[in-house]
Amino acid sequence: MTVTADLAISLDGCIAGPGVTLDNPGGNGAEPLFEWIHNLASWRERQGMTGGEENRDSELMREWFDATGAVIMGRMMYDTGADFWGENPPFRVPVFVLTHRPHAPLVKQGGTTFTFVTDGIHSALAQARAAAGERNVDIAGGARTVQQYLREGLVDELQLHVVPALLGAGLRLFEGVGVGERRLEQVRVVETPLATHLKYRFVE
């Protein structure tokens, strides 16, 4: 079982624009980070739609879906996504939401359950590991949540979908992830017209 973080990122290191709010979850000017995903066949399938492009980008997205057995996210990501995801969210696995506000678990269609964890990132990871079985646990976001797990050295693999755009400002993934050297080994590089997909494994 591997703990992963799989994120779209701009060339200048942003995974969201400035001004992230409940009504503006990606932040200002962040559209290029996500435009490449919307027409992929694997993504559309998970949203309950048909059609879309079957290409290398779609294959990588499907690989993530198939490998992931549980997801961890922050409360902001949940709050900004819940209405959009509706009653049949695209995760189809247990999701553990980090929060300071207790909430009863929510069981949705398609295999997604939301469990609200109030006792920290280690507890959420332990619960996610137990739920994932032999499949991966993915730290989905937002930025602050991923940074917490990176800072604690709890992420095994990092996949970055580098989009050819400069946001200029926003939430930068590698700010506040601690001091000291962290070494990674390159697992693969996949180049497509839409993004450059970089996969790394942290070296102990």
Side-chain angles (χ1 to χ4, degrees):
M1 195 279 294
T2 302
V3 179
T4 65
D6 191 295
L7 304 154
I9 189 168
S10 67
L11 279 173
D12 50 349
C14 296
I15 61 173
V20 172
T21 65
L22 289 177
D23 297 325
N24 188 26
N28 300 326
E31 292 81 6
L33 292 178
F34 311 108
E35 286 172 347
W36 67 278
I37 298 173
H38 295 156
N39 201 41
L40 301 182
S42 56
W43 176 259
R44 291 177 62 85
E45 177 186 313
R46 280 292 178 124
Q47 311 301 318
M49 299 182 286
T50 58
E53 297 182 12
E54 282 288 4
N55 53 26
R56 189 69 177 109
D57 303 282
S58 184
E59 290 173 0
L60 292 171
M61 183 66 63
R62 185 173 285 110
E63 176 185 275
W64 180 90
F65 285 134
D66 292 344
T68 300
V71 170
I72 296 173
M73 68 177 61
R75 184 61 185 257
M76 174 67 86
M77 182 175 177
Y78 170 79
D79 286 344
T80 57
D83 288 343
F84 174 75
W85 298 326
E87 291 303 311
N88 191 8
F91 305 101
R92 302 184 187 177
V93 295
V95 178
F96 298 87
V97 181
L98 292 163
T99 183
H100 297 296
R101 292 173 281 153
H103 195 294
L106 297 175
V107 179
K108 299 291 185 176
Q109 299 172 18
T112 301
T113 60
F114 292 103
T115 300
F116 297 84
V117 181
T118 59
D119 52 349
I121 65 171
H122 293 278
S123 175
L125 182 55
Q127 294 180 60
R129 285 181 187 274
E134 296 183 357
R135 298 167 73 194
N136 295 343
V137 172
D138 189 74
I139 314 300
R144 302 291 181 249
T145 298
V146 177
Q147 288 166 350
Q148 287 182 72
Y149 281 95
L150 287 172
R151 190 162 53 244
E152 293 294 317
L154 297 173
V155 177
D156 301 314
E157 289 186 355
L158 181 64
Q159 180 158 243
L160 302 176
H161 308 282
V162 183
V163 177
L166 298 171
L167 297 193
L171 295 176
R172 299 184 189 278
L173 177 60
F174 297 113
E175 286 185 356
V177 296
V179 297
E181 182 182 15
R182 298 289 306 282
R183 297 190 63 85
L184 302 93
E185 61 180 8
Q186 182 175 289
V187 176
R188 72 178 177 203
V189 177
V190 178
E191 298 180 12
T192 76
L194 299 180
T196 301
H197 308 278
L198 308 174
K199 189 173 186 178
Y200 298 98
R201 181 178 298 115
F202 283 94
V203 179
E204 294 296 334

